Amino acid sequence: VNAPRLVLTAAKLVDPEGETLLDCAVVIGGSLILWVGAYKDLPAEFGGTERHDLGDATLLPGLIDAHVHLSLGSEPSHADGSLVFDTTDEEELAIMLASARELVEAGVTTARDLGGRGYLALRARDATESGYSVGPRILAAGPPLTPPLGHCWFLGGEVDGVEDAKKRVQAHVAAGVDVVKVMATGGFLTPGTTPWDASFDETTLQAIVAESHKLGRRVAAHCHGVDGIRQALAAGVDTLEHCSFVEEGGGTAVDEALLDAIARSGVYISPTMNADARAMMADGWKPPVVGLWHRGARVIASTDAGIPGTPHRDYVLALVALVDAGMPDRDVLVAATVTAAEALDLHGVTGRVVAGYSADLIAVHGDPEHNIRALHDLRFVMSRGCIVQLAAR
Ligand SMILES: [Zn+2]
């Protein structure tokens, strides 16, 4: 199955956790990377394998978006639940597969879907995994767990109390979710909820995390306000989504002691940088993720793609926003590959260009280690061994 079938060659290879190679070769067999090295050192056994030369491009691991919503088409009318109510499953699945294609055409070869209606994202996951549809590797959460009428209640994940929450986690796992998403605070897009208030009591949140971990699933916690962030951290969630320190009225009030505690804990920060974040930064907002990064916190790249104004194709803008906010280009590249793979429990699978890893690769023109904007100049994408046909540009 994994017989060598293609040798990719390029002027340069950047593996964010390894060494940079010049005049490199990457041998692909099936969906895996079989060998990586300098082309002049290519073992004789691969000598007769078809060669695909990427010229002066730089090869990199495929990129990871740790927070997307495939079913949201980034139209304003979708955010209040109308899309969810008004579409059939078939229509929604078609939207999801179109979103998946947008992601992979932007260089994203792994995307974590953190919430949609029912278990449709699992079907999108299976469609891209089987090769029926072009897209990234998808990790799917199913409907986020939320209190009655809590944030995104209309997706179908309402739970009431500890026992109900535990049953719901069990049902999610039985349905085949890869990760559990929980709404630890209200959100901006759900009328009647407030982002600065915690959603759950501590006991229920802890029960959700404990049950998920017991069943081998990581937990992603949506949290804006400081109380919800503190509760999520105490409950032992794996990724803090947004982690924006929003205070009543919508301003930002960073709690320095909590930043220290987050950095010490080793929890991953998924800051969902996107058009909203960029607009706020233009008005002088300092994203709390940068203070966390300065403290040594583990930052991963994410966008919340699908929400109004954030199409899935705009992924690279989120990385540019992190650089503009003060993170070095190279660290942002690590956040989008190695660290994100660790956070998603995909260490050893993706995020690096190493023999034995999945053949998730991109090639760009330029030097993204020193200028992340080079990722806009995408020349080649391979997702689990399949070459993605990029639209002419
Ligand atoms: Zn989201």
Side-chain angles (χ1 to χ4, degrees):
V1 180
N2 292 330
R5 58 179 173 81
L6 194 64
V7 178
L8 296 173
T9 53
K12 194 172 164 187
L13 182 148
V14 173
D15 178 43
E17 203 173 61
E19 51 186 333
T20 294
L21 286 173
L22 298 179
D23 295 320
C24 67
V26 178
V27 181
I28 310 299
S31 63
L32 296 179
I33 297 169
L34 298 184
W35 186 88
V36 181
Y39 183 60
K40 64 178 173 46
D41 299 330
L42 188 72
E45 61 183 295
F46 303 130
T49 307
E50 181 189 338
R51 181 176 171 188
H52 184 107
D53 184 29
L54 297 162
D56 64 353
T58 300
L59 264 171
L60 302 147
L63 305 168
I64 299 173
D65 191 335
H67 188 140
V68 307
H69 300 280
L70 296 171
S71 64
L72 301 180
S74 75
E75 301 289 333
S77 62
H78 296 170
D80 60 359
S82 60
L83 174 82
V84 178
F85 292 128
D86 298 347
T87 51
T88 64
D89 281 3
E90 287 72 18
E91 287 166 340
E92 189 156 330
L93 194 55
I95 293 169
M96 292 181 141
L97 294 177
S99 300
R101 178 179 273 277
E102 276 191 31
L103 281 165
V104 82
E105 288 182 350
V108 174
T109 56
T110 299
R112 187 172 61 160
D113 186 291
L114 287 185
R117 184 183 73 198
Y119 295 119
L120 287 171
L122 282 65
R123 289 172 59 189
R125 172 194 70 192
D126 296 345
T128 63
E129 183 171 5
S130 63
Y132 290 132
S133 190
V134 177
R137 169 188 296 98
I138 294 167
L139 274 63
L145 303 192
T146 195
L149 294 181
H151 182 41
C152 289
W153 62 271
F154 45 78
L155 296 176
E158 289 172 291
V159 294
D160 195 0
V162 168
E163 288 313 310
D164 192 31
K166 282 165 74 173
K167 277 197 198 113
R168 199 57 196 253
V169 170
Q170 291 159 9
H172 270 22
V173 171
V177 303
D178 301 291
V179 56
V180 171
K181 168 82 177 294
V182 61
M183 301 303 199
T185 67
F188 288 99
L189 301 177
T190 306
T193 77
T194 43
W196 43 90
D197 288 324
S199 305
F200 285 102
D201 59 274
E202 287 176 19
T203 320
T204 306
L205 194 59
Q206 281 170 6
I208 289 168
V209 176
E211 191 67 17
S212 301
H213 286 171
K214 193 172 104 188
L215 297 174
R217 299 300 187 279
R218 294 196 176 184
V219 180
H222 160 104
C223 48
H224 283 297
V226 67
D227 288 343
I229 295 170
R230 189 177 285 123
Q231 277 188 8
L233 184 69
V237 305
D238 301 283
T239 61
L240 296 173
E241 306 301 315
H242 316 300
C243 198
S244 52
F245 287 86
V246 171
E247 61 180 348
E248 185 159 3
T252 303
V254 168
D255 179 320
E256 302 281 337
L258 187 50
L259 292 184
D260 290 338
I262 290 169
R264 273 197 311 273
S265 74
V267 69
Y268 295 93
I269 316 303
S270 169
T272 60
M273 301 299 280
N274 50 34
D276 283 348
R278 287 161 58 84
M280 287 165 63
M281 281 166 57
D283 285 342
W285 179 63
K286 303 254 182 297
V289 64
V290 178
L292 285 162
W293 172 78
H294 277 296
R295 286 167 166 83
R298 301 202 272 192
V299 174
I300 62 177
S302 63
T303 60
D304 220 355
I307 66 165
T310 299
H312 294 83
R313 63 178 171 274
D314 279 356
Y315 172 78
V316 172
L317 289 179
L319 307 187
V320 171
L322 286 172
V323 168
D324 289 348
M327 275 179 68
D329 299 80
R330 200 190 137 75
D331 291 62
V332 172
L333 199 54
V334 170
T337 55
V338 181
T339 315
E342 285 171 7
L344 272 48
D345 206 9
L346 293 172
H347 185 70
V349 175
T350 194
R352 294 193 61 193
V353 184
V354 179
Y357 275 56
S358 177
D360 300 331
L361 298 157
I362 63 169
V364 302
H365 187 252
D367 180 10
E369 272 190 297
H370 299 102
N371 177 10
I372 204 77
R373 287 173 167 80
L375 295 176
H376 283 303
D377 200 351
L378 192 63
R379 301 294 173 88
F380 174 84
V381 178
M382 173 176 274
S383 184
R384 287 184 290 200
C386 294
I387 295 175
V388 176
Q389 295 301 324
L390 299 178
R393 59 189 79 197

